[in-house]
């Protein structure tokens, strides 16, 4: 199955790194996040990659120019200012009407890709996303006047479910994306949800995105 990786965003919240390189090329213990993501798909038997480039895409091109592998790597310019939905729409000619895998270029997980695919086929919906629990960040307090009435160190289970960014998508979904300015997570996915065409595969294992330097430091520590 083809694997789409959206790797063109500006990464402004981690600008101490992304002034010179795109966020997917930020190194985690000697390897770019992008390569670690690709490895996770390849281990599951999926190594036909379509990487949507944008901001500083030339850095990614340069990295893979002399990259020795038996993977099929397609590096496609999808515009510097294109939104996530628009990037996916620009890949339509490569994806045709096939079902494909998709993720972002800034998150790692040990989600079982092939179980995710089986779940998608079983549910027979347009899009399956991977639901994860975000890493707990803060404790919870309940106050009355100045007195702490309730104190609990927050656990991951208290955080609820969020979009973990590992998708299985039917080809027809791309036709619902209007143009370069379409944000994937807004109108297209909201519409799929409204039409009961979006399902969630619950992943209870490891997941971490890299939005900030704090996230990056946490990920480096975990992988070490």
């Amino acid at each position: 199955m083809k694997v789409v990786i959206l790797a063109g965003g500006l990464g402004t919240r981690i600008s101490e790194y992304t002034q010179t390189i795109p966020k997917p090329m930020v190194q985690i213990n000697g390897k770019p996040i992008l390569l670690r993501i690709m490895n996770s798909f390849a281990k599951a038997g999926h190594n036909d990659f379509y990487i949507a480039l944008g901001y500083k895409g030339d850095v990614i091109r340069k990295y893979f120019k002399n990259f020795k592998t038996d993977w099929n790597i397609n590096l496609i310019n999808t515009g510097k200012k294109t939104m996530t939905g628009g990037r996916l729409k620009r890949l339509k000619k490569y994806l045709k009407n096939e079902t494909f895998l998709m993720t972002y270029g800034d998150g790692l997980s040990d989600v079982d890709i092939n179980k995710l695919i089986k779940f998608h086929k079983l549910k027979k919906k347009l899009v399956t996303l991977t639901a994860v629990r975000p890493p707990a960040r803060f404790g919870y307090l309940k106050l009355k006047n100045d007195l702490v009435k309730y104190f609990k160190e927050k656990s991951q289970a208290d955080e609820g479910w969020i979009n973990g960014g590992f998708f299985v998508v039917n080809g027809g979904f791309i036709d619902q994306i209007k143009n370069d300015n379409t944000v994937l997570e807004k109108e297209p996915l909201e519409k799929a949800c409204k039409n009961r065409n979006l399902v969630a595969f619950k992943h209870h294992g490891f997941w971490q995105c890299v939005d900030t330097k704090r996230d990056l430091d946490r990920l480096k520590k975990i992988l070490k």
Side-chain angles (χ1 to χ4, degrees):
M1 196 174 281
K2 291 174 179 174
V3 182
V4 170
I5 303 177
L6 303 179
L10 296 174
T12 51
R13 282 183 285 182
I14 194 166
S15 60
E16 52 266 72
Y17 293 94
T18 56
Q19 285 179 356
T20 54
I21 60 173
K23 187 159 66 164
M25 293 305 291
V26 172
Q27 299 254 329
I28 302 170
N29 303 348
K31 287 183 183 175
I33 304 170
L34 180 58
L35 183 58
R36 290 185 178 274
I37 294 167
M38 293 168 78
N39 274 325
S40 68
F41 282 100
K43 283 178 183 175
H46 306 281
N47 57 15
D48 188 7
F49 297 104
Y50 294 78
I51 302 174
L53 304 180
Y55 175 71
K56 294 195 179 296
D58 56 316
V59 177
I60 297 175
R61 286 189 184 281
K62 188 176 179 181
Y63 181 84
F64 284 107
K65 190 175 182 181
N66 299 309
F67 190 75
K68 299 288 189 290
T69 183
D70 58 354
W71 301 348
N72 179 34
I73 303 173
N74 302 274
L75 304 172
I76 302 142
N77 178 27
T78 56
K80 284 186 179 180
K81 296 182 179 179
T82 309
M83 297 290 104
T84 46
R87 292 192 192 285
L88 181 56
K89 190 170 184 70
R90 286 200 184 201
L91 298 183
K92 180 177 169 63
K93 66 179 180 181
Y94 302 97
L95 302 169
K96 297 169 184 172
N97 211 33
E98 303 167 29
T99 298
F100 59 91
L101 295 159
M102 184 184 74
T103 194
Y104 306 103
D106 64 355
L108 291 178
S109 177
D110 62 358
V111 60
D112 188 321
I113 300 295
N114 291 319
K115 276 189 180 178
L116 174 64
I117 293 168
K118 284 180 183 177
F119 179 87
H120 178 77
K121 289 178 177 176
L122 181 70
K123 295 296 181 180
K124 295 183 171 62
K125 299 296 183 182
L126 201 59
V127 181
T128 298
L129 61 76
T130 299
V132 300
R133 294 196 185 278
R137 289 179 185 260
F138 307 104
Y140 176 69
L141 300 177
K142 195 172 184 179
L143 305 177
K144 187 173 183 180
N145 298 325
D146 293 330
L147 190 68
V148 177
K149 301 290 288 182
Y150 180 85
F151 174 88
K152 186 183 178 185
E153 189 61 28
K154 214 165 194 185
S155 73
Q156 196 180 38
D158 296 325
E159 295 283 343
W161 295 96
I162 63 168
N163 169 20
F166 289 79
F167 298 83
V168 188
V169 185
N170 289 0
F173 175 72
I174 298 177
D175 294 330
Q176 299 187 14
I177 300 170
K178 286 183 180 177
N179 53 39
D180 281 0
N181 297 319
T182 304
V183 177
L184 178 70
E185 300 77 14
K186 290 188 177 177
E187 191 177 317
L189 284 178
E190 286 174 1
K191 185 178 178 182
C193 177
K194 187 179 178 181
N195 293 338
R196 299 175 62 83
N197 244 324
L198 176 66
V199 289
F201 177 79
K202 291 180 180 176
H203 175 58
H204 296 272
F206 167 72
W207 176 86
Q208 178 69 55
C209 68
V210 178
D211 275 335
T212 64
K213 188 178 183 298
R214 177 181 174 173
D215 295 331
L216 181 63
D217 291 342
R218 175 186 168 86
L219 194 49
K220 285 179 178 178
K221 189 176 179 181
I222 292 168
L223 293 180
K224 198 171 182 179

